[in-house]
Amino acid sequence: MATVSSSGPLTPPGYRQRTADALMATALSSSPIVAVEGARGVGKSWTSLRNACSEVRLDRDRNAAEAAALWPARVLEGARPRLLDEWQLAPGLWNEARHLADAQTGRGLFIFTGSAHPPDDRTRHSGAGRVMRVRMRPMSLAESGESTGEASLRSLLDGADCFAGTPQASDADVVEALCRGGWPRHLTMGTAQAQTLCRAYLAEIARVDIARLDGARHRPEGVMRLLESLSRNIATAAAASTLADDIAGDATPSRDTVADYIEALKRVYVVEDLPAWSVHLRSRARLRRSPKRHLVDPSLAAAILGAGPERLWRDPGFLGQAFESLVVRDLRVYAEANEASVYHYRDSNGHELDAVVQCFDGRWLAVEVKLASADRIDEAARSLNATCEQIDFGRVGPPSKRLVITPSGYGYERADGVTVTPLTSLGP
């Protein structure tokens, strides 16, 4: 995907277009305050600068953070939209901006970015109509230019046929992209360097970022061991007790301790579990409610386990889990642009869907993820159709598409009603 040279007056040079750009434009035209949320390093600041006319970088300017504590109204002065970057370092700005939004007319007054979710009492008084939130994640393959985007999620939700042409990338390219991650600063790096930075990123999260959450008590080495366990169990429904047993050393951490650490990692947007889909069934099977474990980008899991491309190819089981997590990452980015959400489905009879994309108006996609080969695609298609037969279409309607998502190759329609869609052709 080509870079764009300009938009707003603060657009950084060489800015690469993001799926969130359209969401930002809609939010700024609809609400006085836009809150941009997501993990550190996903590109929140650059995307916000593209839409801002003035800025305050609270994580870089100590004087600004001190001034915000004493005179928040003065810090909010400036050309609009005004960007308050990493605002959680000066939480008093939130209510001050809310009061200004009440007193003034107009839209697009302030852009707040944050890489840590503050306590509820700092944002619970936002008020209907004052704030719209935009969630940013690492770059999808369409954003990084490694997917053609010709099979758009929007068209699939509309039930359109998928025909992806000559492959632009190979399975090996996808595995390289998985290990490097969708972090904007990593796009021009080699895999080894990118993985070194991912490990340093997680160490900093464990050592510093979690401690900033109201002085949360934690042991950084315990957080790192939990991240290793989450990585080993990526794309599974591992319970907190399972994770606690997995990281046991001299002393097994309690389930409550593990749950607290997971909650803290969610608040800094590093852990993003995939919730279970709630749907009516035709059979007497029971739905499984446990979420599936995912990090915000599977590159973090590969890096903390020391799994580069060569090692992943030697471990096809884990590669399958990591690839599933990569698909979930991209589906979340594309779903956000289509007012849709992503879930997973499992029932007590052993039927499951790796992902379910459901739009606000009820349209939905059933998704099975498979590393490509003809026999495995056949197996995935049979499983997909068998699972869909368990779902009560009288309550939810049939899926717009039944998708088998592969790493690369061609996209096409099968005679059994299943659509094969390469991740390298998927887009918003």
Side-chain angles (χ1 to χ4, degrees):
M1 186 177 292
T3 59
V4 293
S5 59
S6 64
S7 178
L10 302 182
T11 301
Y15 180 79
R16 185 180 287 270
Q17 189 173 343
R18 302 297 298 272
T19 301
D21 288 329
L23 301 175
M24 284 284 291
T26 298
L28 287 167
S29 67
S30 305
S31 177
I33 301 172
V34 176
V36 186
E37 301 170 332
R40 275 202 290 134
V42 300
K44 300 184 303 297
S45 298
W46 275 39
T47 293
S48 298
L49 283 168
R50 185 174 185 245
N51 293 275
C53 293
S54 66
E55 62 170 320
V56 179
R57 310 292 287 273
L58 292 158
D59 60 334
R60 301 183 182 184
D61 188 341
R62 179 176 296 179
N63 290 333
E66 292 174 353
L70 298 172
W71 306 289
R74 295 291 300 271
V75 175
L76 292 171
E77 293 177 356
R80 311 285 172 76
R82 184 159 176 79
L83 167 61
L84 292 307
D85 198 29
E86 298 296 348
W87 73 271
Q88 75 275 1
L89 300 177
L93 290 172
W94 181 270
N95 277 336
E96 189 67 31
R98 181 177 60 84
H99 294 316
L100 286 172
D102 287 341
Q104 301 177 19
T105 60
R107 300 289 183 264
L109 304 180
F110 304 109
I111 302 171
F112 281 74
T113 74
S115 55
H117 194 284
D120 289 343
D121 61 353
R122 294 180 185 169
T123 60
R124 65 185 175 186
H125 301 299
S126 59
R130 294 190 191 98
V131 179
M132 288 188 68
R133 298 179 187 272
V134 174
R135 180 68 178 268
M136 287 192 67
R137 297 177 173 86
M139 283 181 156
S140 65
L141 294 188
E143 291 173 299
S144 63
E146 291 156 300
S147 169
T148 63
E150 58 190 307
S152 75
L153 194 71
R154 179 166 298 146
S155 68
L156 294 170
L157 283 164
D158 287 339
D161 288 344
C162 171
F163 295 103
T166 304
Q168 300 291 314
S170 66
D171 287 9
D173 293 327
V174 173
V175 174
E176 289 280 347
L178 186 160
C179 291
R180 186 203 65 230
W183 312 97
R185 291 176 178 164
H186 294 189
L187 295 187
T188 59
M189 294 180 183
T191 302
Q193 183 182 8
Q195 290 200 310
T196 297
L197 290 179
C198 282
R199 286 189 288 272
Y201 174 93
L202 290 176
E204 190 72 2
I205 293 287
R207 187 178 67 86
V208 176
D209 289 36
I210 290 180
R212 287 177 175 169
L213 298 175
D214 298 330
R217 296 181 60 186
H218 74 291
R219 295 170 56 247
E221 62 273 20
V223 175
M224 289 297 288
R225 286 166 59 197
L226 173 60
L227 284 165
E228 291 175 11
S229 181
L230 286 166
S231 298
R232 284 190 291 270
N233 289 282
I234 196 169
T236 75
S241 56
T242 301
L243 298 172
D245 290 342
D246 186 45
I247 64 178
D250 295 334
T252 302
S254 70
R255 179 176 177 173
D256 287 344
T257 297
V258 169
D260 288 345
Y261 284 176
I262 290 174
E263 184 59 30
L265 290 166
K266 288 179 180 178
R267 286 180 60 190
V268 295
Y269 304 104
V270 168
V271 167
E272 189 174 6
D273 288 343
L274 189 65
W277 191 38
S278 179
V279 67
H280 293 279
L281 304 181
R282 290 175 177 167
S283 69
R284 293 185 178 181
R286 296 183 306 277
L287 288 173
R288 301 302 192 191
R289 302 294 184 182
S290 300
K292 273 193 172 184
R293 303 297 185 184
H294 288 277
L295 302 183
V296 70
D297 194 292
S299 63
L300 299 176
I304 200 169
L305 298 177
E310 290 185 5
R311 182 175 170 187
L312 284 178
W313 284 116
R314 294 196 302 269
D315 187 349
F318 181 72
L319 176 56
Q321 293 172 230
F323 176 61
E324 180 180 330
S325 193
L326 181 69
V327 171
V328 167
R329 181 201 72 183
D330 282 13
L331 285 176
R332 280 172 159 155
V333 173
Y334 307 147
E336 190 89 5
N338 287 283
E339 296 185 272
S341 300
V342 185
Y343 307 92
H344 79 94
Y345 167 95
R346 288 192 309 144
D347 65 33
S348 58
N349 287 342
H351 296 102
E352 62 181 300
L353 298 172
D354 294 326
V356 174
V357 180
Q358 186 169 40
C359 204
F360 75 99
D361 59 10
R363 290 172 297 155
W364 64 285
L365 304 171
V367 179
E368 185 78 7
V369 177
K370 273 290 181 277
L371 295 173
S373 69
D375 57 337
R376 298 207 70 189
I377 291 175
D378 287 341
E379 172 193 333
R382 287 192 296 271
S383 173
L384 192 54
N385 282 330
T387 299
C388 286
E389 288 175 2
Q390 310 305 306
I391 296 168
D392 187 350
F393 294 160
R395 300 289 192 98
V396 73
S400 299
K401 283 288 181 183
R402 306 176 187 201
L403 302 179
V404 174
I405 297 182
T406 62
S408 62
Y410 293 91
Y412 57 93
E413 302 290 331
R414 290 169 50 103
D416 58 5
V418 170
T419 302
V420 177
T421 309
L423 188 60
T424 50
S425 68
L426 199 58

